[in-house]
Amino acid sequence: MIKQLFKFQANSILSVSLRSSGIYIFTDIMSFDYSLVFWVSFFLVTTNSYFIQKKYIFKSNKEKSFFRYSLVTITLAVLEYIISNYFRPLMTLNVFAFLIGGFFIFILRFILNKKFVF
């Protein structure tokens, strides 16, 4: 389980780096709508992350894992969105609020993916 957690963490670092960069560039520098960038980056990174987790982290062959993954991921994304929007007025950059929201969700995501999805 510890090895999986480290692999999951590496994948999470990749995902957070890509999303944070996108959120910073498109909302803080280019002034695009935060909600739009949050959800577009979520879709792109989540799809990539599913395949990495299924094949390399949890090595799963479960057939219904995509549906379960989608359910868990969307539910946690809504929670992450609510948390990040709570912190946005308190931060100087949107990306900081996004990172705080993600911090609260990380362990919950790992546990749900390990026990329920894969």
Side-chain angles (χ1 to χ4, degrees), residues 6 9-10 19 22 44 59 66-67 75 85 87 92 107 109:
F6 283 121
Q9 177 64 23
R19 282 191 77 198
L44 294 172
K59 298 178 183 175
F66 186 74
F67 173 75
T75 302
N85 267 314
F87 284 102
T92 56
I107 295 296
R109 183 175 317 237

Side-chain angles (χ1 to χ4, degrees), residues 74-116:
I74 290 169
T75 302
L76 292 178
V78 169
L79 182 59
E80 182 179 40
Y81 181 74
I82 291 168
I83 293 169
S84 68
N85 267 314
Y86 173 79
F87 284 102
R88 280 182 60 216
L90 306 172
M91 301 287 145
T92 56
L93 298 173
N94 292 327
V95 68
F96 293 147
F98 166 73
L99 290 171
I100 290 171
F103 175 76
F104 286 110
I105 301 298
F106 172 75
I107 295 296
L108 185 57
R109 183 175 317 237
F110 174 76
I111 292 168
L112 289 173
N113 282 343
K114 179 161 180 58
K115 301 293 183 186
F116 178 68

Side-chain angles (χ1 to χ4, degrees), residues 2-29:
I2 296 295
K3 189 175 180 180
Q4 283 179 329
L5 182 59
F6 283 121
K7 287 180 181 181
F8 185 81
Q9 177 64 23
N11 183 53
S12 294
I13 289 170
L14 174 65
S15 296
V16 167
S17 297
L18 292 172
R19 282 191 77 198
S20 297
S21 298
I23 287 171
Y24 176 70
I25 291 167
F26 290 106
T27 68
D28 293 318
I29 294 176

